[in-house]
């Protein structure tokens, strides 16, 4: 069954134009092509990034937070109590007064002690400002580095200025070393975010959690698929457009946690402008135009991958519209309600 599914998945008509086979993608005459098995390297990349994250948070983020006046608040842990812990996890974090009295009898202690235990236990679930700062610092560091490196990789490429160049010579476009490392690092980063979903700051709104998970999985699927189909030129442009706005948001969060209000407000306004330029203008009217419209000039029979990749890009654009709505609401409050 697995062999049959594998043959269906790698069927040429899914990935490449008519009259092309996988045999045509063997390295030759100076041409180097992306290979699906190279994506296995993204998992070790994810663990390397997790190690870098650990040391950067410990030796850079924490001293920086202290310099900005953020203190490490130590919360008092409640005494171990299996009965109360079981109720906390399985029933409710906010027991009613009658339940508190019942639990007090069961544990042979006072109502006051039970209330105190639940209060301390709830406080443990709330992330400290330092934890939030460390996570924002890591994302800021990665997105800023990725944006700078991405610009260095792309600024001298013709397709950075003329989007039509992404299709010239397709599918026989050689893979550059810079494109290889750019992809491995980006996919590895999103894997690392999925690996740490259980320990990162938990969002309050379930819709926010779902949108983050959908975004991470769609990003990994889109980048992996574009790698296999050798849509690497377009892929690097999509990555660059996404990362250039994100580090402004993480910087605004960091200064918000440090209570630098004016700096935070200024950075959030810059982020909002960058977000609307990159996600609401460049992505739909520049990149999506190149993926939806321009391929029809090169082939009258679009392959299945055309619909798969554009479907995932449209999912991402839908998330951008949702996040754009939230950003607009915040800006509206900021301008009119101070």
């Amino acid at each position: 069954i697995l062999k049959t599914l594998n043959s269906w998945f790698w069927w040429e008509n899914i990935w490449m134009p008519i009259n092309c086979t996988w045999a045509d993608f063997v390295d030759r005459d100076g041409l180097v092509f992306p290979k699906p098995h190279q994506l296995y390297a993204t998992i070790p990349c994810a663990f390397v990034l997790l190690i870098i994250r650990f040391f950067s948070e410990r030796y850079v983020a924490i001293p920086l937070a202290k310099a900005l006046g953020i203190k490490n608040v130590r919360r008092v842990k409640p005494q171990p109590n299996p009965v109360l812990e079981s109720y906390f996890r399985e029933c409710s974090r906010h027991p009613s007064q009658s339940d508190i009295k019942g639990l007090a009898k069961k544990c042979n202690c006072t109502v006051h002690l039970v209330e105190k235990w639940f209060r301390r236990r709830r406080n443990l679930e709330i992330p400290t400002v330092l934890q939030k700062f460390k996570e924002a610092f890591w994302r800021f560091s990665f997105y800023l580095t990725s944006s700078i490196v991405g610009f260095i990789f792309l600024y001298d490429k013709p397709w950075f200025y003329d989007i039509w160049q992404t299709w010239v010579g397709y599918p026989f476009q050689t893979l550059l070393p810079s494109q290889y490392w750019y992809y491995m690092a980006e996919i590895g980063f999103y894997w690392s975010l999925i690996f740490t979903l259980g320990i990162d700051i938990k969002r309050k709104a379930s819709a926010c959690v779902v949108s983050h998970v959908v975004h991470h999985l769609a990003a990994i699927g889109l980048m992996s698929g574009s790698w296999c189909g050798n849509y690497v030129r377009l892929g690097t442009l999509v990555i660059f457009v996404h990362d250039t706005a994100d580090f402004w948001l993480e910087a605004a969060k960091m200064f918000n946690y440090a209570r630098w209000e004016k700096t935070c407000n200024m950075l959030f306004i810059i982020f909002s402008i960058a977000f609307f330029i990159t996600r609401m203008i460049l992505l739909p009217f520049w990149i999506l135009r190149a993926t939806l419209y321009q391929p029809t000039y090169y082939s009258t029979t679009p392959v299945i991958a055309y619909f798969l990749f554009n479907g995932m890009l449209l999912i991402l654009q839908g998330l951008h519209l949702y996040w754009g709505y939230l950003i607009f609401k915040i800006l509206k409050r900021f301008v009119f309600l101070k």
Side-chain angles (χ1 to χ4, degrees):
I1 292 172
L2 289 174
K3 190 175 181 180
T4 303
L5 291 173
N6 188 59
S7 63
W8 286 352
F9 184 79
W10 296 113
W11 183 36
E12 280 90 349
N13 288 359
I14 293 178
W15 297 97
M16 57 192 68
I18 294 172
N19 300 325
C20 285
T21 65
W22 290 112
D24 297 323
F25 285 84
V26 176
D27 296 350
R28 65 185 186 280
D29 303 327
L31 288 173
V32 178
F33 299 105
K35 300 165 186 65
H37 71 265
Q38 291 172 321
L39 292 173
Y40 289 124
T42 59
I43 303 300
C45 275
F47 286 106
V48 170
L49 287 171
L50 288 175
I51 294 170
I52 295 172
R53 175 179 178 177
F54 172 79
F55 284 104
S56 65
E57 286 183 352
R58 189 179 182 90
Y59 296 108
V60 183
I62 292 177
L64 179 60
K66 289 180 180 178
L68 292 172
I70 298 173
K71 296 178 181 179
N72 186 17
V73 179
R74 295 185 180 275
R75 295 203 171 103
V76 180
K77 289 184 179 181
Q79 291 292 328
N81 190 311
V83 175
L84 298 181
E85 184 68 30
S86 176
Y87 186 93
F88 182 87
R89 290 181 176 276
E90 298 172 12
C91 298
S92 174
R93 299 182 179 190
H94 298 272
S96 64
Q97 199 63 33
S98 59
D99 289 334
I100 288 175
K101 289 178 181 178
L103 290 168
K105 286 181 181 180
K106 193 179 287 188
C107 298
N108 195 24
C109 61
T110 65
V111 170
H112 174 71
L113 285 174
V114 174
E115 289 176 340
K116 187 177 179 181
W117 189 95
F118 272 94
R119 187 167 58 252
R120 287 181 172 177
R121 185 66 182 81
R122 283 194 298 268
N123 287 340
L124 284 181
E125 299 287 308
I126 302 171
T128 64
V129 176
L130 183 60
Q131 286 175 296
K132 293 178 180 180
F133 182 89
K134 289 194 297 182
E135 184 177 320
F137 173 82
W138 166 243
R139 292 172 186 257
F140 166 79
S141 301
F142 181 86
Y143 289 134
L144 178 62
T145 304
S146 176
S147 299
I148 295 171
V149 171
F151 180 75
I152 293 170
F153 287 165
L154 288 167
Y155 86 97
D156 61 343
K157 306 298 186 295
W159 54 87
F160 188 58
Y161 307 96
D162 180 9
I163 198 74
W164 285 92
Q165 294 293 323
T166 57
W167 295 106
V168 173
Y170 182 82
F172 302 110
Q173 297 170 341
T174 191
L175 175 69
L176 304 174
S178 59
Q179 292 171 331
Y180 172 85
W181 289 111
Y182 199 24
Y183 257 75
M184 295 302 111
E186 283 287 334
I187 299 175
F189 176 70
Y190 282 104
W191 276 125
S192 72
L193 292 182
I194 290 177
F195 294 159
T196 57
L197 272 175
I199 59 174
D200 280 340
I201 306 302
K202 292 177 175 60
R203 273 75 186 176
K204 291 180 181 179
S206 59
C208 192
V209 177
V210 171
S211 67
H212 274 77
V213 174
V214 170
H215 176 270
H216 298 343
L217 292 176
I220 291 171
L222 186 60
M223 287 187 283
S224 301
S226 66
W227 179 266
C228 296
N230 200 15
Y231 300 106
V232 174
R233 291 183 181 180
L234 272 168
T236 51
L237 292 177
V238 173
I239 293 169
F240 181 73
V241 163
H242 277 74
D243 287 352
T244 46
D246 288 343
F247 69 86
W248 293 106
L249 176 62
E250 301 303 331
K253 287 182 186 178
M254 289 163 59
F255 283 100
N256 179 48
Y257 301 142
R259 299 186 182 278
W260 289 36
E261 220 172 285
K262 291 182 179 178
T263 306
C264 170
N265 292 340
M266 182 184 67
L267 288 169
F268 187 78
I269 290 172
I270 295 172
F271 158 72
S272 302
I273 295 168
F275 183 92
F276 283 105
I277 290 173
T278 56
R279 311 289 179 91
M280 301 298 179
I281 298 174
L282 289 180
L283 187 66
F285 298 108
W286 186 48
I287 292 176
L288 278 176
R289 180 174 173 270
T291 61
L292 288 166
Y293 170 68
Q294 291 178 1
T296 59
Y297 276 81
Y298 294 91
S299 176
T300 55
T301 55
V303 294
I304 297 173
Y306 169 87
F307 301 100
L308 294 175
F309 296 148
N310 281 301
M312 284 188 280
L313 278 172
L314 290 171
I315 289 172
L316 285 180
Q317 188 57 32
L319 290 171
H320 298 154
L321 291 172
Y322 168 68
W323 287 328
Y325 166 72
L326 297 180
I327 293 166
F328 178 76
K329 282 178 66 177
I330 296 170
L331 284 176
K332 187 178 176 182
R333 286 169 58 191
F334 174 71
V335 173
F336 294 106
L337 303 177
K338 302 299 180 184

